[in-house]
Amino acid sequence: MLDRDHIITSATIRPCGGQPAILDGAVLVRGDTITAVGGRATVTEQAAPDARHTDLPGCTIMPGLIDGAVRLTLSGDATPYEDLPRDQQQGTLGQRVAGNGLRTLLSGVTTIRDVGEADGAVLRYRRQIADQLAIGPRVLCSGAPLTIPGGDGSLLGGAVDSDDAIRAAVRAHADSGAEFLSYHDSGGYFPGPWHRKGWLTHFTPEQCQLLVEEAHRQGLRVSAHTYAADGAWHAITAGVDIIDHLVWMEAQGQFGRDEAAAIDMHRRGIIACLPSASNRRHMIANNGEQAAFDRWYSRYTWLDERGVSLLIGSNAGVTTSPFGDYVSALETYEWLGFGDRTLEVATSEAARALRLDKTVGVLAPGMAADLIAVPGDPAADLQVLRSVALVMARGQVIS
């Protein structure tokens, strides 16, 4: 019962948010909210006499992880773009979404941003979670991503062919209850004529400006899915909130960096969400570690050094990017030398990037009771995050 106090004790508490670890600590949860964090004895004194008590010796309690980029309507298997129309035809898309969401939550990810769905299935799933008809993480929704007819991601249903269509799509997104509007402004890896043509843009700069202005007027934040260098400038100039991928592809096989763009992103507070899971292993296997770093992954540290906020995304759902494997995304940051800060990027920094830092991302009184416990210390070994001992979402113990 959520109205009963729940004390969770463990060897270590990592509150995140720049706070030091607490040894022999405890977290007190009342309803769906954290009411106390600190030493075991101090926190226990604040609990009601009939409080439920869960002791996790040898574990670390920390905030739930935050995944900045997933696609719940895709399977994450070898053929996600064939699986989607099959799910739509067979009426199983809702089951697919619920299964992906539950798998994500059980892996310790308690908050996600879905960057583009089909048929409103993710929005329905979120309503089911709110109505306690389904179990899942905290979900930020983007609806179907806008693209041009036949453009990258058009199979998700968000194609627009005129300025009026853009305005209508933005209004529909706002009316749906989505927090974000996502648009694809370059070729990418979805099937179709733009497949792997990441240097070619879809929208004009004027259309990007229109899209962002209309979305912001409706209270929506905007994320631009782009590989193209030109697409990045379109997005920055238009004033988007997040740029996904941000590969700076200038031509086939040519990747750049743009100092002025990075400076402008920092000045405007534009977030870079750089999906980084199984693709890193693939890039290293095919190109060698140094070449993979030079061509793709050096931009992570390069942007970070210039003050651009980074948001970790697993890209779960796309080809061979399964749900429940967020740790692979964290491994990229560890490989790049982020060290202990990797946990902060996955919790408090992600919450701040998504404007959820008053709700999740740290363990502190007044914050939502979204937390996990893992055996051992994830700051010393990320792999312990693959063996989650406890998941609590909104005060409810899930596993």
Side-chain angles (χ1 to χ4, degrees), residues 1-8 27-31 33 35 43-54 392 395:
M1 295 176 60
L2 292 184
D3 57 350
R4 182 183 174 193
D5 281 5
H6 190 170
I7 306 170
I8 308 166
V27 178
L28 175 60
V29 173
R30 185 166 295 150
T33 304
T35 59
V43 171
T44 301
E45 288 175 355
Q46 300 177 54
D50 65 343
R52 178 183 175 185
H53 189 184
T54 299
M392 175 178 282

Side-chain angles (χ1 to χ4, degrees), residues 70 97 100 110 122 143 145 242 245 255 257 261 273 314 329 379 385 396:
V70 305
V97 169
N100 289 339
T110 56
V122 177
I242 297 175
H245 295 290
F255 304 85
R257 297 287 185 274
C273 182
S314 69
L385 293 170
Q396 180 179 359

Side-chain angles (χ1 to χ4, degrees), residues 5-299:
D5 281 5
H6 190 170
I7 306 170
I8 308 166
T9 54
S10 70
T12 306
I13 309 290
R14 286 199 172 274
C16 293
Q19 299 301 307
I22 302 167
L23 301 181
D24 192 27
V27 178
L28 175 60
V29 173
R30 185 166 295 150
D32 60 1
T33 304
I34 295 170
T35 59
V37 180
R40 184 187 298 249
T42 301
V43 171
T44 301
E45 288 175 355
Q46 300 177 54
D50 65 343
R52 178 183 175 185
H53 189 184
T54 299
D55 188 33
L56 300 166
C59 285
T60 296
I61 299 173
M62 62 177 288
L65 302 169
I66 300 172
D67 192 335
V70 305
R71 296 183 183 274
L72 289 177
T73 51
L74 299 181
S75 66
D77 296 332
T79 57
Y81 311 117
E82 292 77 21
D83 296 337
L84 173 60
R86 187 179 306 116
D87 281 332
Q88 290 170 315
Q89 293 165 6
Q90 296 177 353
T92 55
L93 188 57
Q95 295 169 241
R96 172 79 70 186
V97 169
N100 289 339
L102 180 57
R103 192 172 301 114
T104 298
L105 181 59
L106 292 174
S107 72
V109 176
T110 56
T111 298
I112 60 174
R113 176 178 67 114
D114 188 276
V115 296
E117 61 167 294
D119 297 349
V122 177
L123 284 156
R124 287 194 297 274
Y125 174 56
R126 184 172 66 177
R127 287 194 291 270
Q128 291 170 348
I129 294 170
D131 293 339
Q132 298 185 341
L133 300 175
I135 298 172
R138 191 180 303 271
V139 185
L140 296 176
C141 295
S142 303
L146 302 195
T147 186
I148 61 173
D152 186 65
S154 58
L155 84 166
L156 296 172
V160 291
D161 59 4
S162 67
D163 289 358
D164 285 343
I166 290 174
R167 293 187 183 95
V170 172
R171 287 194 297 271
H173 275 70
D175 290 344
S176 74
E179 291 83 12
F180 280 91
L181 177 71
S182 174
Y183 73 96
H184 287 216
D185 192 30
S186 76
Y189 286 83
F190 279 80
W194 299 88
H195 183 65
R196 294 182 179 270
K197 296 179 180 178
W199 64 95
L200 300 175
T201 57
H202 287 350
F203 293 107
T204 67
E206 293 77 16
Q207 288 174 317
C208 294
Q209 191 73 50
L210 171 66
L211 191 155
V212 173
E213 288 177 355
E214 289 291 322
H216 284 170
R217 188 175 296 117
Q218 296 280 351
L220 296 168
R221 283 166 278 163
V222 181
S223 63
H225 175 286
T226 184
Y227 294 84
D230 287 345
W233 261 122
H234 295 171
I236 294 166
T237 303
V240 303
D241 300 280
I242 297 175
I243 302 180
D244 295 309
H245 295 290
L246 196 60
V247 177
W248 268 304
M249 197 170 186
E250 298 169 341
Q252 188 169 16
Q254 296 183 23
F255 304 85
R257 297 287 185 274
D258 193 319
E259 189 77 28
I263 291 171
D264 212 15
M265 287 182 68
H266 171 61
R267 180 179 65 84
R268 292 170 177 259
I270 298 173
I271 310 299
C273 182
L274 308 175
S276 50
S278 59
N279 60 327
R280 177 177 64 88
R281 292 188 289 271
H282 173 76
M283 295 299 186
I284 290 174
N286 287 326
N287 300 277
E289 187 168 9
Q290 189 62 51
F293 174 78
D294 291 343
R295 177 172 286 191
W296 293 288
Y297 296 102
S298 60
R299 75 187 190 280

